[in-house]
Amino acid sequence: MVSERELLASVPTQLWIGGPVDATGGATFPVENPATGKILVEVADASPEDAMRALDAAVAVQDEWAATPARQRGEILRAVYERIIERTEDFALLMTLEMGKALPESRNEVRYGAEFFRWFSEEAVRIHGRYQTAPTGTGRIMVYKQPVGPCLAITPWNFPLAMGTRKIGPALAAGCTMIVKPASATPLTMLLLAQLCREAGLPDGVLSVITSRRSGAVTAPLINDPRLRKLTFTGSTEVGKKLVESSAHGLLRTSMELGGNAPFVVFDDADVDAAVAGAMLAKLRNGGEACTAANRFHVHNSVIEEFTEKFVAAVQETRLGAGADPDTTLGPLINAEQLDTVSELVEDAVAKGAQVRTGGKAPGGPGYFYPATVLSDVPAGARILSEEVFGPVAPIIGFDTEEQGLAAANDTEYGLVAYVYTRDLDRALRIAEGLESGMVGINRGVISDPAAPFGGVKASGFGREGGTEGIEEYLSTKYIALP
């Protein structure tokens, strides 16, 4: 494995527009290590003019990329997948340095993120249309799929690789060019990916990466340019709403993967040990900084104390520390603002009567650390039940009947994912059908899979990423009438 210094020196820090280029005026901004608060490197700070350079490059090669045979596009994606896997340790360390997660978590993300390139390398050759005789017998109907055109992807900081690959993969497979605006907190992983794409044979201009700490100012001219035909965003519901409003003027195709407030429901007939194991995954994967993280634990009152005691014992086994430390299982939060948010939500719950069973207080010192925390007896008015905590905090609430459990799970404006633990198959299907969420995990604490459609309903957005459905977001349907 290369050293941290060698790795950082090998990663592009300029904009990536047909290769590395400086931002207008040479502006830069710092990328911080959340475990120390120290600056890792300075990267290019794009201007609106730089964003338009990226769009010019995407438009210039759009027709050529769309005309590239699907097999050839797929082989390039497969080559990128193989290069990512070959450099698993480099990507893992880079993500840990800029985002903070423990190295095992980062390695898991590399495998997960790379898989989107392998999956969509195979989907590239399975873009189907249809041909049939019109029911009246007076003509023929041909349905043809075409790439929507140049796309803009705005990605978050919590999964620096996977949130990009699950957008880039289907876009490139469909024949679309793409501009990626990664989060300013974690731009390095996406810049390294762009470099690997070129090495794998991706033509210049097909994928651009524009890094900037002024996201709105830089993306606004892109969204308002009629040459852009697709906007895809992963992030908060608040920002997603603004982007949808902005995109309406140009009637852009949009897909939005927004906030979550996932319920984790444990029924009286559940395997409690399995539920605890699932809760550890659903809550602490990525340190709780995931839109799919379980945010509310609704546990039947007949098993609530057993579940809580076993969950607390498991949580206390986590090791808080710098993500690059091999003993660490829980890294820091992304920044001081997120640390303050998590602390405030816990303090609010405790002030209203919640009991801290473990954790509950930041250790202080350098870095943005917060311990894995379990709260019991959480009252209905606590903010943590309605707001996405995005941290390693698990509030537990009891219920008595199946109807109460389902109602409590649905009592949110969000609808991304829900988790259910029960041994009763009929109940599992009944609850799954009744849950107002785009995804449901039955006796599973992790549901993400590149082969499955990922996305939510209500305030959690619309559109799907992954699965056979994922590539459809980047295709237009054309009907051709024949005599």
Side-chain angles (χ1 to χ4, degrees), residues 11-309:
V11 177
T13 55
Q14 298 166 284
L15 307 176
W16 192 274
I17 305 173
V21 297
D22 290 330
T24 302
T28 64
F29 67 92
V31 179
E32 188 180 63
N33 182 342
T36 64
K38 296 180 179 179
I39 295 173
L40 293 169
V41 294
E42 296 268 344
V43 301
D45 192 1
S47 67
E49 292 77 18
D50 294 322
M52 298 310 292
R53 289 163 63 191
L55 182 57
D56 289 343
V59 171
V61 298
Q62 173 59 56
D63 289 346
E64 181 182 349
W65 180 244
T68 300
R71 178 69 71 192
Q72 186 177 336
R73 296 198 302 265
E75 288 173 350
I76 291 174
L77 289 173
R78 176 67 188 225
V80 179
Y81 160 78
E82 291 170 351
R83 280 167 170 75
I84 296 172
I85 295 301
E86 287 171 1
R87 298 192 62 181
T88 293
E89 291 303 312
D90 290 347
F91 272 103
L93 179 57
L94 188 61
M95 284 192 286
T96 290
L97 289 174
E98 66 174 344
M99 185 265 165
K101 68 181 76 181
L103 272 172
E105 291 271 9
S106 292
R107 293 186 184 105
N108 287 337
E109 182 180 344
V110 175
R111 289 187 286 268
Y112 173 59
E115 190 63 29
F116 284 102
F117 275 77
R118 178 160 69 167
W119 173 262
F120 285 109
S121 74
E122 297 161 343
E123 289 298 292
V125 297
R126 298 186 177 93
I127 299 172
H128 299 297
R130 60 187 171 93
Y131 176 83
Q132 69 184 76
T133 301
T136 59
T138 57
R140 304 290 187 272
I141 295 170
M142 186 167 77
V143 178
Y144 181 59
K145 299 293 180 71
Q146 292 178 299
V148 298
C151 305
L152 170 63
I154 303 174
T155 60
W157 50 261
N158 57 334
F159 289 92
L161 180 66
M163 296 301 96
T165 59
R166 75 181 187 187
K167 299 177 187 298
I168 298 168
L172 269 54
C176 300
T177 55
M178 176 166 272
I179 303 163
V180 180
K181 164 57 182 73
S184 59
T186 57
L188 301 177
T189 301
M190 198 50 53
L191 287 167
L192 180 58
L193 176 64
Q195 181 175 272
L196 260 65
C197 286
R198 171 187 264 188
E199 293 172 4
L202 188 69
D204 289 343
V206 175
L207 174 65
S208 295
V209 178
I210 51 172
T211 55
S212 177
R213 55 184 165 184
R214 299 168 294 165
S215 183
V218 168
T219 59
L222 295 175
I223 294 170
N224 290 326
D225 193 300
R227 296 176 298 169
L228 189 77
R229 296 314 311 144
K230 163 80 181 181
L231 169 64
T232 174
F233 171 73
T234 296
S236 71
T237 298
E238 179 184 6
V239 174
K241 289 179 178 179
K242 293 178 181 177
L243 288 171
V244 170
E245 291 175 0
S246 299
S247 67
H249 176 74
L251 294 176
L252 285 181
R253 283 277 294 272
T254 57
S255 51
M256 297 280 148
E257 195 264 283
L258 307 178
N261 188 10
F264 189 101
V265 187
V266 182
F267 286 100
D268 53 337
D269 64 337
D271 180 332
V272 174
D273 291 332
V276 169
M280 290 293 291
L281 293 171
K283 179 70 265 182
L284 295 181
R285 176 176 178 245
N286 214 53
E289 293 178 306
C291 55
T292 55
N295 211 55
R296 302 166 288 138
F297 290 78
H298 301 282
V299 185
H300 194 276
N301 283 319
S302 66
V303 295
I304 192 169
E305 196 54 38
E306 179 188 1
F307 174 86
T308 302
E309 289 178 359

Side-chain angles (χ1 to χ4, degrees), residues 245-390:
E245 291 175 0
S246 299
S247 67
H249 176 74
L251 294 176
L252 285 181
R253 283 277 294 272
T254 57
S255 51
M256 297 280 148
E257 195 264 283
L258 307 178
N261 188 10
F264 189 101
V265 187
V266 182
F267 286 100
D268 53 337
D269 64 337
D271 180 332
V272 174
D273 291 332
V276 169
M280 290 293 291
L281 293 171
K283 179 70 265 182
L284 295 181
R285 176 176 178 245
N286 214 53
E289 293 178 306
C291 55
T292 55
N295 211 55
R296 302 166 288 138
F297 290 78
H298 301 282
V299 185
H300 194 276
N301 283 319
S302 66
V303 295
I304 192 169
E305 196 54 38
E306 179 188 1
F307 174 86
T308 302
E309 289 178 359
K310 290 181 175 180
F311 190 27
V312 167
V315 164
Q316 289 173 339
E317 294 296 316
T318 59
R319 293 289 302 274
L320 185 66
D325 185 330
D327 293 328
T328 294
T329 59
L330 179 63
L333 298 172
I334 186 65
N335 54 33
E337 182 182 4
Q338 188 59 28
L339 178 60
D340 289 342
T341 297
V342 172
S343 298
E344 288 172 10
L345 289 173
V346 172
E347 290 166 5
D348 172 78
V350 171
K352 292 174 179 173
Q355 302 298 309
V356 178
R357 302 295 287 263
T358 188
K361 187 175 179 60
Y368 310 117
F369 294 95
Y370 199 89
T373 298
V374 178
L375 306 176
S376 63
D377 305 310
V378 181
R383 287 170 51 200
I384 201 168
L385 298 182
S386 59
E387 299 179 27
E388 189 174 21
V389 65
F390 234 63

